[in-house]
Structures are given as structure tokens and as C-alpha cells.
Amino acid sequence: MADLFGDLAPPTPPAVDTPLADRLRPQGLSEVVGQDHLTGPEGAIGRMVAAGRLSSIILWGPPGTGKTTIARLLADAVGLRYAQISAVFSGVADLKKVFAEARDHARTGRRTLLFVDEIHRFNRAQQDGFLPYVEDGTVTLIGATTENPSFELNAALLSRAQVLILHRLDAAALGELIARAEIEVGRDLPLTAEARAALIASADGDGRFLLNQVETLFAVDLSEPLDPAGLSALLHRRVAVYDKDREGHYNLISALHKSLRGSDPQAALYYLARMLTAGEEPLYVLRRLVRFASEDVGLADPQALVQCLAAKDAYDFLGSPEGELAIVQACLYLATAPKSNAAYKAQKAAFK
């Protein structure tokens, strides 16, 4: 059995049956799409590579944005040995083994870049185990996480690494991935221009998801290009990415609040739908709307609070899904209502 933590074998051309996303993995940092703020000449990673010196890094970003690819390419770019583990499948014994191997290689003058996928899955004690090896240069740590490092990683570990944020891939970057897939396969994607735009929008910035959908489309024998309706009928809908007690939860409720404060009913309804369809507890959303009615609408429209409490009563009476219409009504009322936080400010001043 091959050593999980040993040196990587020389790269070989991908097999024909290799998933399209793997066949299209970039071979150099210049081929990474959508992260120019990091990998470009003026980006943090670009500057490190140009200097030939790499510090420990935590790559924080959504799935399918290139964290694993960037880590692998960084090792090649600065001439480090590459080792990879996943916090999901690894324990203390695995960590001891990879550190021992890295120390052996360090004695011969060859440093190791250790890529830890899902690093937030390690507990605090396991994270502390990285500290001496990072400090003495045995390993250069590259951690990848989809969760906020400030919440999930030890302060001691964060003080020894830079946190670099990867963005969701924009439409241009996703379009570039489709173009590369078409070159790889040797034919155009069987979609109309409108369906192509719908496919890009459905990916929600996830390059891996997009390429998996593209691979499905290439595998289907189609007599003519699909329009948006045909595309929707053929491909499954992307499952909403949401966690009820972690980063996604707080990001979406924050986005809902900002949309309401900005009097943007379309955006507010979008974020409300994202939460409810992903399984958020409707009563939690109602509590936030009631609070918003008092804090941000207040005396500018006292009926806002009445509307939200009525929506709560309607939901208690009807349940889901019928009662969710009352939540939508309250959300749209708040978004279009005049705003005033005078009562909120007065309370804060009086309670000092």
C-alpha cells in the first residue's frame, strides 16, 4: 500500500475516465481562476512565490474555489516537499507520522509543505500539536477551511499563520472553466446562451459543482442545444449550502438584515427563501423580524411590529408550508417600510 504521507509520484497524464474536474486541475498558479487578488503578482501568494519564501497560511473560502489546488501548486512553485492529510480521516497517530517524516526530510535540507484539509475539524489539543513544528520550520502549514478561522482555530495557531480569504468564483471565472472544459472534450457545451448563463448562475460560485454539471451535459446525447427550461429539467437543482449553527447561518441572517435596512425587498426575499428552503426554523426567522420591526422601523411605522406578531400567530396557526406566506408578507412589509432607530437609540441612552 502506498505511503499516504510520502512524496508524490511524478505527475502522469490523467486517464480518460478521470472526472472532468480533476482533468482540468491547473498546472500552475497562473492557471487558477477567480483568485487573482491572491495569486496575481500583487497578491499575497504571488508575492511569496516571487520572493521564494512561503509562510504558513490558512486558506478560508467556500467549497469549489481552489483551496486544495493552490496548496499543491504552492509546493511546486517554491520547491517544497508536499504532504497532505485530511482532518476528517486523520488522528494523532497520523499527525505524529507526518511530522516524523517531515523532520527526517528537514535533516537532509528539504522542507515540507503540509496541507491540512478541513483543518477546523481538528480539536484544540490536536491544533496545538502543530505549533512546535511550525515554529521550528519543520513544516510550512497550509490549512484549508470553509469555517471562520476566528471561531474554529486556536489563537496560537492563527498567530503563526496568515489567513487568506478565497472568493466565490464570479461569472467570468466560471465561464473560463466552461471554456476549458469545451477544449478538453473537443466540442461545445450543448446549451443556448441563456441556458449557459443559467448554468453559471446555478453554480453559486462553486467551480467543482459547475464542472460536474458540465460533465453530465457532455455525457448526455442531445439532438439540439438545451434552453433554460430543458436544462432545469435535466439537471438536479443545487442543494442550498447552509448550516444552522455555523458560518452560513450567521452570514445569511446578516444578509437578510442588511437587505431589510437597505429597503431592498427582492434581496430580502431571496435571503429569506435561502434560509427557509435550507431548513431554518421559521420561528427563529420570525424572532429576528420582530426585533427588526422594533429596532430599525420603530416609530416610523408602528404597524410593522403588529404585522410581524400577526405573522407569528398565522404561522403558529397554519404551520408549514402555508404559514410561510405570512412570514414573506412580514418580510416584504419591513423591507418597504420607512426606517427609524430613534427608539433604539433612546433606550440605549436612557439605560446608560
Side-chain angles (χ1 to χ4, degrees):
M1 180 177 178
D3 183 358
L4 179 61
F5 306 111
D7 293 338
L8 293 178
T12 56
V16 176
D17 58 351
T18 301
L20 183 61
D22 284 342
R23 297 189 341 244
L24 291 177
R25 280 193 184 276
Q27 300 304 306
L29 286 169
S30 61
E31 297 179 16
V32 175
V33 300
Q35 309 301 340
D36 291 343
H37 65 293
L38 297 178
T39 60
E42 302 302 317
I45 290 175
R47 289 180 182 274
M48 289 183 199
V49 171
R53 296 186 62 82
L54 191 64
S55 61
S56 292
I57 295 170
I58 303 298
L59 298 174
W60 173 28
T65 52
K67 297 183 291 294
T68 303
T69 295
I70 288 174
R72 175 177 55 81
L73 295 176
L74 275 174
D76 295 337
V78 297
L80 296 181
R81 170 180 173 267
Y82 181 73
Q84 176 176 343
I85 59 174
S86 170
V88 177
F89 301 110
S90 303
V92 174
D94 300 312
L95 290 174
K96 288 181 177 179
K97 181 178 181 180
V98 74
F99 289 143
E101 291 181 353
R103 182 152 283 172
D104 290 341
H105 282 276
R107 293 193 184 101
T108 67
R110 192 176 185 201
R111 294 180 59 202
T112 297
L113 183 153
L114 174 60
F115 174 62
V116 183
D117 198 15
E118 305 289 347
I119 191 170
H120 62 277
R121 298 291 189 95
F122 280 132
N123 62 37
R124 301 284 172 166
Q126 290 170 319
Q127 291 177 29
D128 284 340
F130 288 94
L131 298 179
Y133 302 98
V134 172
E135 287 181 339
D136 67 13
T138 300
V139 298
T140 297
L141 175 66
I142 307 293
T145 178
T146 56
E147 300 294 335
N148 190 330
S150 298
F151 298 155
E152 303 296 335
L153 300 184
N154 282 356
L157 188 58
L158 287 176
S159 72
R160 292 161 175 81
Q162 290 191 63
V163 176
L164 302 181
I165 301 174
L166 281 76
H167 298 161
R168 290 186 183 276
L169 302 188
D170 59 19
L174 294 171
E176 173 63 22
L177 290 180
I178 292 178
R180 292 181 186 181
E182 290 173 329
I183 293 172
E184 172 70 21
V185 175
R187 56 193 174 93
D188 291 339
L189 199 61
L191 298 176
T192 64
E194 294 80 7
R196 190 185 188 97
L199 178 65
I200 290 173
S202 72
D204 194 26
D206 186 334
R208 186 185 304 110
F209 176 85
L210 177 72
L211 289 176
N212 289 339
Q213 298 288 67
V214 167
E215 187 168 26
T216 299
L217 288 168
F218 277 131
V220 177
D221 185 17
L222 299 172
S223 58
E224 58 183 22
L226 294 173
D227 59 12
L231 176 68
S232 178
L234 177 63
L235 297 181
H236 65 83
R237 180 181 177 183
R238 179 181 172 83
V239 176
V241 178
Y242 188 67
D243 39 40
K244 294 174 67 175
D245 60 349
R246 302 177 79 90
E247 185 78 3
H249 168 82
Y250 296 107
N251 283 345
L252 282 182
I253 194 61
S254 175
L256 175 59
H257 270 255
K258 290 175 181 176
S259 301
L260 293 173
R261 285 186 181 132
S263 297
D264 187 340
Q266 286 83 8
L269 186 56
Y270 168 76
Y271 290 116
L272 176 68
R274 281 275 303 268
M275 296 180 76
L276 292 180
T277 58
E280 180 57 77
E281 175 57 50
L283 289 177
Y284 168 78
V285 178
L286 281 164
R287 284 194 294 272
R288 302 316 306 160
L289 294 181
V290 169
R291 170 68 180 183
F292 185 92
S294 295
E295 180 178 335
D296 291 277
V297 177
L299 297 176
D301 185 353
Q303 280 298 312
L305 184 57
V306 177
Q307 285 281 335
C308 291
L309 292 174
K312 185 262 183 188
D313 290 341
Y315 181 79
D316 282 342
F317 183 62
L318 295 174
S320 291
E322 291 87 351
E324 291 171 6
L325 181 58
I327 303 176
V328 169
Q329 179 179 326
C331 177
L332 294 176
Y333 191 99
L334 294 177
T336 55
K339 308 297 190 294
S340 170
N341 63 354
Y344 173 75
K345 287 184 175 180
Q347 182 209 19
K348 290 295 182 183
F351 285 18
K352 280 185 179 179

